[in-house]
Amino acid sequence: MTSADPRTNPDNFCYRHPDRQSFVLCQRCLRTICPECQTPLPVGVICPECLAEQQKGARSAEVKRMPGRFARKMRSDRPVVTYAIMIFTLAMYLVQLIPVVGGEVTNALAFAPAYAVPGSAAPFEPWRMLTVAFVHSTPLPFHVALNMLALWALGRSLEPLLGKVRFIALYVLSAIGGSALVALIAPGSAVVGASGAVWGLLTAMLIIGRHVGANILPIAILLGINLVFSFVGSGVSWQSHIGGGLVGLLIGFIFARTRAQKLQPLQAALLVAVGVGLVAVTATVPALLYL
């Protein structure tokens, strides 16, 4: 039995060049392609149309993998969280200067220990332990100006070093720590300001700098000056400063000891435990001792 002449079979001719005989098939669409139309791949050859389709699919996948604008900012080395906190805090200060409205905002966000204790005379509003960091005393701008200057100086170095999520955790927990010590030592007072959060950044930088072998003398001197000012300055809540600073020391130690990738779950668990512990202590101890 004789076979038919392959030259009479259209499948044996390149689909793009009908005058060129070939016995090579595209590995994807199985059409016949001549040497000019063949693109070698590890598993064979493909035709120009299949190659274009494959490249288009690869580009689409790459676009899907590209992070959004917010994600790119969160992954960058620019201290965008520091700037965002500064902008929001300064905006809140301007709102505080508005007659009537400013007073209502301050009263809604300021912290007094009674707000963190269930069953006290004040409504239970524990979030004030954090919101206190976004309002400041008025009308003189020195309070907010000094805190934002310190945040700018510390955040530009600390945020790229820690990463944005850890920096946020440090700032939030330090602010809560400042409120917690106010509740424990001065339960009858009411406070405003980001001093506790800023002190947490300062003491955390002291621990982390010491751990990585950096020169911590300037940080220690700055910490000493602020410590003296905390006790001799009028109208200064030294409890908030010390509370934030102690929590900053603890968080800095946690960050320094859990840097390894395998310890990241432990790091997250410890941060959650610190936050829960601060709120729990603030909600129970003042009620037992004072209220």
Side-chain angles (χ1 to χ4, degrees):
M1 182 176 178
T2 58
S3 60
D5 187 350
R7 290 174 297 180
T8 64
N9 182 358
D11 289 339
N12 293 327
F13 291 85
C14 178
Y15 78 97
R16 301 181 75 238
H17 303 95
D19 59 329
R20 300 179 187 178
Q21 189 177 22
S22 177
F23 297 93
V24 178
L25 303 180
C26 171
Q27 294 299 309
R28 295 188 63 179
C29 66
L30 301 181
R31 290 181 291 189
T32 304
I33 49 177
C34 67
E36 182 180 340
C37 300
Q38 298 170 10
T39 300
L41 292 179
V43 294
V45 295
I46 61 174
C47 65
E49 278 74 11
C50 290
L51 175 64
E53 183 179 348
Q54 178 174 306
Q55 292 174 338
K56 181 180 179 181
R59 287 193 297 269
S60 299
E62 183 177 356
V63 170
K64 291 180 181 179
R65 289 194 300 268
M66 287 182 61
R69 183 177 181 182
F70 176 76
R72 291 197 300 271
K73 286 184 177 295
M74 289 298 289
R75 295 176 187 176
S76 70
D77 290 333
R78 297 181 60 188
V80 294
V81 172
T82 298
Y83 297 150
I85 295 174
M86 291 177 61
I87 292 171
F88 181 77
T89 305
L90 291 173
M92 291 300 299
Y93 179 77
L94 295 178
V95 172
Q96 287 182 267
L97 296 178
I98 302 175
V100 182
V101 175
E104 293 294 330
V105 170
T106 303
N107 292 334
L109 301 181
F111 175 73
Y115 287 111
V117 179
S120 66
F124 183 56
E125 298 177 355
W127 56 84
R128 288 174 178 262
M129 297 179 69
L130 173 61
T131 60
V132 65
F134 300 110
V135 288
H136 288 77
S137 57
T138 57
L140 296 178
F142 300 116
H143 188 202
V144 65
L146 289 175
N147 277 337
M148 293 303 99
L149 179 61
L151 173 59
W152 175 78
L154 294 168
R156 288 188 307 154
S157 300
L158 201 52
E159 182 181 335
L161 180 64
L162 294 177
K164 292 167 176 51
V165 175
R166 292 184 183 89
F167 182 80
I168 293 173
L170 172 61
Y171 193 85
V172 168
L173 292 175
S174 298
I176 294 175
S179 300
L181 196 62
V182 169
L184 295 178
I185 299 180
S189 63
V191 294
V192 291
S195 299
V198 170
W199 264 69
L201 300 183
L202 183 60
T203 55
M205 179 171 282
L206 184 70
I207 293 296
I208 295 172
R210 177 69 179 84
H211 189 79
V212 300
N215 180 16
I216 62 173
L217 180 60
I219 303 174
I221 294 175
L222 180 61
L223 182 61
I225 294 173
N226 276 273
L227 186 62
V228 172
F229 177 76
S230 297
F231 287 98
V232 302
S234 60
V236 177
S237 175
W238 62 266
Q239 298 91 346
S240 178
H241 293 195
I242 301 302
L246 291 175
V247 172
L249 287 173
L250 176 59
I251 302 301
F253 181 79
I254 291 174
F255 286 157
R257 294 297 181 180
T258 58
R259 290 191 300 169
Q261 185 66 33
K262 64 180 181 180
L263 296 178
Q264 296 306 296
L266 174 61
Q267 181 182 105
L270 290 173
L271 294 178
V272 172
V274 170
V276 172
L278 289 172
V279 175
V281 168
T282 307
T284 56
V285 174
L288 297 175
L289 297 179
Y290 305 105
L291 299 178

